[in-house]
Amino acid sequence: AQSVTQLGSHVSVSEGALVLLRCNYSSSVPPYLFWYVQYPNQGLQLLLKYTSAATLVKGINGFEAEFKKSETSFHLTKPSAHMSDAAEYFCAVRNAGGTSYGKLTFGQGTILTVHP
Amino acid sequence: DVKVTQSSRYLVKRTGEKVFLECVQDMDHENMFWYRQDPGLGLRLIYFSYDVKMKEKGDIPEGYSVSREKKERFSLILESASTNQTSMYLCASSLPPGQGGGYTFGSGTRLTVV
């Protein structure tokens, strides 16, 4: 079975500071990994995805994430936070095979607050 | 721009009513999914479908059913709505995982059962 753990349900940073949102996964087969963002009362929007190409993945809005197989991690970073980054972020894993074929499993989410 | 459209943003229904939540995608995706989202519980998979007229139970199917008569439409049905089904419902569609895609989500339907 696959699972995702996001460390920290709430993260607070100052505007201009580094954003680091942590995600660890478990998967019995090579995974596809995703980060989504959700603004209040909206659906989820794809930020970036890892699909076994480059381990450093760049996404929208200046975010990037690095796949580290040895650490089973896929942490999301942004060098300089902006007020508009305040939202809830979800890490997700999807297997291309195995018993969880095709299903996307989400972490519990991390709410990012950005202070002026 | 590709889209997943959910028919209602906000819905209020009475206990015991039969409720239909509609989802339509215009991307010719084979896979479609229904999730519910609750504070502290994250997103939980209710049902999914890999093809027309095909459905599989997710993690929390009790009290729900689905219908997929056409490729582009995936309906979630609450047979007899209860207050514990008050939630945000999210529909998504995707290509098969081997094609490397993530999910495209609709804007969600916030359902309140009174």
Side-chain angles (χ1 to χ4, degrees):
Chain A
Q2 57 193 24
S3 66
V4 177
T5 301
Q6 291 182 238
L7 298 176
S9 58
H10 291 80
V11 171
S12 180
V13 300
S14 299
E15 192 173 20
L18 171 72
V19 175
L20 171 60
L21 304 182
R22 299 179 186 273
C23 172
N24 289 87
Y25 70 92
S26 68
S27 175
S28 58
V29 297
Y32 297 141
L33 294 159
F34 306 86
W35 276 98
Y36 285 86
V37 61
Q38 186 179 34
Y39 299 100
N41 292 313
Q42 294 189 25
L44 276 70
Q45 179 183 3
L46 182 65
L47 270 180
L48 50 80
K49 62 182 179 182
Y50 165 77
T51 56
S52 74
T55 56
L56 183 62
V57 181
K58 294 187 184 299
I60 62 172
N61 301 340
F63 284 94
E64 62 181 38
E66 186 172 8
F67 172 68
K68 292 187 176 181
K69 185 178 179 180
S70 60
E71 299 177 8
T72 60
S73 69
F74 190 58
H75 302 330
L76 181 71
T77 61
K78 183 174 180 177
S80 177
H82 192 273
M83 296 295 290
S84 61
D85 294 327
E88 189 163 15
Y89 293 79
F90 292 90
C91 182
V93 61
R94 188 181 195 193
N95 286 341
T99 57
S100 299
Y101 179 80
K103 291 194 293 184
L104 202 59
T105 299
F106 289 89
Q108 292 299 307
T110 298
I111 296 173
L112 176 66
T113 303
V114 182
H115 296 288
Chain B
D1 194 16
V2 294
K3 274 191 176 179
V4 175
T5 302
Q6 294 184 231
S7 53
S8 304
R9 290 299 304 274
Y10 299 93
L11 212 53
V12 179
K13 295 293 182 181
R14 295 195 179 278
T15 301
E17 276 193 76
K18 190 169 187 176
V19 180
F20 293 85
L21 302 183
E22 305 289 346
C23 176
V24 177
Q25 51 98 1
D26 64 0
M27 297 166 283
D28 201 34
H29 283 170
E30 290 87 355
N31 304 344
M32 296 189 75
F33 306 83
W34 274 106
Y35 286 84
R36 66 176 282 177
Q37 183 179 21
D38 301 287
L41 297 176
L43 285 90
R44 294 179 291 169
L45 181 63
I46 305 171
Y47 266 98
F48 59 104
S49 169
Y50 288 139
D51 202 351
V52 176
K53 296 191 183 295
M54 174 273 178
K55 60 186 178 183
E56 285 198 31
K57 294 179 180 179
D59 300 319
I60 52 162
E62 296 79 17
Y64 304 93
S65 63
V66 290
S67 172
R68 193 163 182 203
E69 297 295 320
K70 294 184 178 181
K71 189 176 186 179
E72 66 270 19
R73 186 181 298 271
F74 192 38
S75 303
L76 180 69
I77 304 159
L78 285 65
E79 298 291 344
S80 177
S82 64
T83 54
N84 63 13
Q85 292 178 309
T86 292
S87 185
M88 171 72 118
Y89 289 87
L90 293 166
C91 175
S93 72
S94 78
L95 291 169
Q99 297 184 31
Y103 291 8
T104 300
F105 281 86
S107 297
T109 296
R110 187 166 292 281
L111 173 67
T112 302
V113 182
V114 297

